[in-house]
Amino acid sequence: MAAERPVTIISELEWLERLRKEIAEAHRDWENANRFFEYASGEDQVDYAIYAIITAEKRYGMLLRLAKRTCKQWPQWGGLM
């Protein structure tokens, strides 16, 4: 029988802060992937850079859609980053 993990309940504000950090991280990853593409040399690096951009864009978009669906009103974050 597997051990049961305790259920952790977090406040809505804590959840929003975690989401904000995830969105900021995803945005940085997307910017870094674009920067890497600018300096990629050789077919393998270009292929990897394109894959990294697509992956980062998908994650960033997914998090933004999640935030739009679940947050009735955005807190005053003073900008995303």
Side-chain angles (χ1 to χ4, degrees):
M1 186 169 171
E4 291 186 31
R5 296 172 58 187
V7 175
T8 303
I9 298 175
I10 61 174
S11 71
E12 184 177 350
L13 288 176
E14 186 178 359
W15 184 85
L16 288 173
E17 181 60 21
R18 287 183 184 182
L19 180 59
R20 184 196 66 77
K21 287 179 181 179
E22 282 286 320
I23 291 170
E25 179 185 333
H27 187 261
R28 276 192 308 275
D29 290 346
W30 176 68
E31 287 179 328
N32 288 336
N34 280 293
R35 196 171 300 115
F36 180 75
F37 179 76
E38 291 175 15
Y39 296 100
S41 62
E43 187 177 332
D44 289 340
Q45 282 188 1
V46 170
D47 287 347
Y48 175 80
I50 292 169
Y51 171 76
I53 290 171
I54 292 169
T55 303
E57 284 177 349
K58 296 268 186 199
R59 179 173 178 241
Y60 184 52
M62 181 255 328
L63 289 169
L64 289 177
R65 284 189 302 278
L66 173 65
K68 288 177 183 178
R69 267 195 328 265
T70 59
C71 299
K72 294 180 178 104
Q73 183 172 352
W74 286 90
Q76 294 297 323
W77 286 337
L80 188 58
M81 301 328 139

